[in-house]
């Protein structure tokens, strides 16, 4: 794990001396689907990075269910807000799949935040990006049509996979992103019923924007999904009630804007959401 962990800390803009002092403070933990990595209201004692799988920041409901409000995929850190604010966690961080995480102790996090200016700037950018995503989701959950909720929810999975691809191990972006999560869970994240979710993704599948499989979804032409999300973000006014046909036209338009070199960073069409357990072994052996 040491080689991979070294690269992970480099991506945080840590200095060389900080990397060496922090490596002994890291631990590797495993969780099963449905496990809570952090409970709502708990005192947070570590900063966590997803190595494989997906974690959702959720709000527990009185019905016994959880409302997912944000997602974290491979190479995404989570739990920085309660650490920075020195407050208990506002969310329950729950595993949507089997998950492996690297955790950094609170003491190491606090020390780096105070003494590493580049890391401080990295944290500012990270917090700002997540605030933007959460604000966008709040808007389309509040005002958007069910097709918009589904398509924007899936676009966030595409952005999640590519934005988090920082260490050299997965620095290249593939054409597809595998989402190994049950459709009911993805529907919950998008804020629609399972029936409406199925209805909308059938149209997307028929148009080639995703593939359906047992226990998950595979997004196709990921760079187009990312371009589509940027276009939606840059519009002067939000179209809140688009139909599926409208969104399919928008996806086609985003795809056309990419031009003939749509996927400049392909490595043998490898998926971004690749299992990383084997990658650990390869890096350790290197």
């Amino acid at each position: 794990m040491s080689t991979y962990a070294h690269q992970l800390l480099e991506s945080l803009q840590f200095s060389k001396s900080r990397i060496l002092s922090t490596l002994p403070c890291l631990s590797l933990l495993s969780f099963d689907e449905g496990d809570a990595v952090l409970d709502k209201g708990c005192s947070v004692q570590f900063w966590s990075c997803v190595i494989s799988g997906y974690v959702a920041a959720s709000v527990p409901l009185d019905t016994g269910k959880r409302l997912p409000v944000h997602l974290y995929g491979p190479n995404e850190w989570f739990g920085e807000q309660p650490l920075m604010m020195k407050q208990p966690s506002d969310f329950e961080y729950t595993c949507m799949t089997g998950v492996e995480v690297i955790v950094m102790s609170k003491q190491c996090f606090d020390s780096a935040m105070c003494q590493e200016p580049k890391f401080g700037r990295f944290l500012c950018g990270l917090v700002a990006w997540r605030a933007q995503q959460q604000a966008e989701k709040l808007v389309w959950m509040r005002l958007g049509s069910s097709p918009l909720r589904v398509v924007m929810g899936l676009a966030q999975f595409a952005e999640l996979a590519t934005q988090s691809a920082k260490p050299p191990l997965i620095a290249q972006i593939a054409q597809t992103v595998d989402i190994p999560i049950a459709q009911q869970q993805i529907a919950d994240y998008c804020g629609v019923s399972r029936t409406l979710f199925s209805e909308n993704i059938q149209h997307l599948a028929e148009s080639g924007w995703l593939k359906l499989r047992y226990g998950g979804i595979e997004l196709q032409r990921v760079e187009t999904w990312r371009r589509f999300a940027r276009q939606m973000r840059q519009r002067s006014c939000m179209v809140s009630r688009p139909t599926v046909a409208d969104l399919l036209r928008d996806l086609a338009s985003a795809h056309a804007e990419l031009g003939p070199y749509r996927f400049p960073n392909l490595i043998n069409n490898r998926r971004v959401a690749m299992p990383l357990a084997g990658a650990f072994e390869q890096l350790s052996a290197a």
Side-chain angles (χ1 to χ4, degrees):
M1 187 183 74
S2 59
T3 304
Y4 180 86
H6 193 283
Q7 293 174 339
L8 196 63
L9 295 178
E10 281 185 335
S11 73
L12 299 178
Q13 307 299 310
F14 275 17
S15 64
K16 291 182 179 180
S17 59
R18 177 67 56 176
I19 290 173
L20 294 176
S21 65
T22 303
L23 283 172
C25 302
L26 303 179
S27 300
L28 180 63
L29 304 176
S30 297
F31 298 89
D32 295 326
E33 180 181 343
D35 287 350
V37 182
L38 292 172
D39 291 318
K40 186 178 188 300
C42 76
S43 175
V44 180
Q45 298 301 314
F46 47 82
W47 195 33
S48 305
C49 180
V50 179
I51 303 306
S52 63
Y54 286 88
V55 172
S58 304
V59 177
L61 305 177
D62 57 3
T63 60
K65 295 184 178 181
R66 302 181 181 100
L67 176 66
V69 297
H70 197 74
L71 291 172
Y72 306 91
N75 287 340
E76 280 274 296
W77 292 88
F78 64 90
E80 66 282 341
Q81 184 173 353
L83 287 173
M84 295 172 71
M85 298 179 67
K86 302 187 184 305
Q87 294 180 353
S89 175
D90 290 333
F91 299 114
E92 178 176 288
Y93 293 86
T94 310
C95 300
M96 301 184 77
T97 63
V99 169
E100 286 185 320
V101 297
I102 284 181
V103 297
M104 178 191 302
S105 69
K106 179 180 182 295
Q107 292 75 17
C108 285
F109 177 88
D110 289 343
S111 176
M113 189 170 62
C114 293
Q115 299 175 14
E116 295 283 324
K118 290 184 178 180
F119 175 59
R121 289 192 290 272
F122 171 89
L123 271 182
C124 288
L126 180 66
V127 171
W129 164 246
R130 288 179 176 169
Q132 179 179 345
Q133 280 196 314
Q134 290 173 358
E136 288 174 357
K137 186 180 179 186
L138 180 63
V139 171
W140 48 259
M141 285 283 283
R142 176 70 176 84
L143 302 174
S145 62
S146 59
L148 180 63
R149 294 183 186 188
V150 170
V151 175
M152 286 301 294
L154 293 174
Q156 284 200 352
F157 275 96
E159 289 194 311
L160 175 67
T162 52
Q163 288 290 336
S164 63
K166 298 186 185 302
L169 176 63
I170 56 171
Q172 302 290 342
I173 305 305
Q175 293 188 44
T176 62
V177 170
D178 185 45
I179 308 173
I181 301 173
Q183 291 183 21
Q184 179 62 65
Q185 290 180 289
I186 305 175
D188 290 343
Y189 177 72
C190 295
V192 298
S193 68
R194 176 71 171 79
T195 301
L196 285 174
F197 183 76
S198 296
E199 183 180 309
N200 283 287
I201 61 174
Q202 285 294 339
H203 291 289
L204 291 165
E206 290 169 4
S207 299
W209 296 111
L210 57 82
K211 289 183 179 179
L212 304 176
R213 63 170 180 77
Y214 179 76
I217 290 174
E218 185 180 272
L219 296 183
Q220 306 294 302
R221 295 176 279 186
V222 173
E223 190 60 29
T224 297
W225 283 93
R226 296 180 66 231
R227 177 61 64 93
F228 164 81
R230 286 197 297 271
Q231 288 179 343
M232 295 294 286
R233 194 173 293 130
Q234 293 167 358
R235 285 182 173 177
S236 57
C237 61
M238 174 185 174
V239 179
S240 62
R241 311 300 296 178
T243 64
V244 173
D246 294 332
L247 294 167
L248 290 175
R249 282 194 294 270
D250 288 339
L251 281 164
S253 175
H255 190 64
E257 283 194 11
L258 290 173
Y261 304 105
R262 293 182 173 88
F263 308 109
N265 296 318
L266 298 183
I267 301 181
N268 300 324
N269 195 28
R270 292 163 66 184
R271 298 175 182 175
V272 172
M274 58 180 286
L276 294 183
F280 268 138
E281 297 173 2
Q282 294 175 16
L283 284 170
S284 298

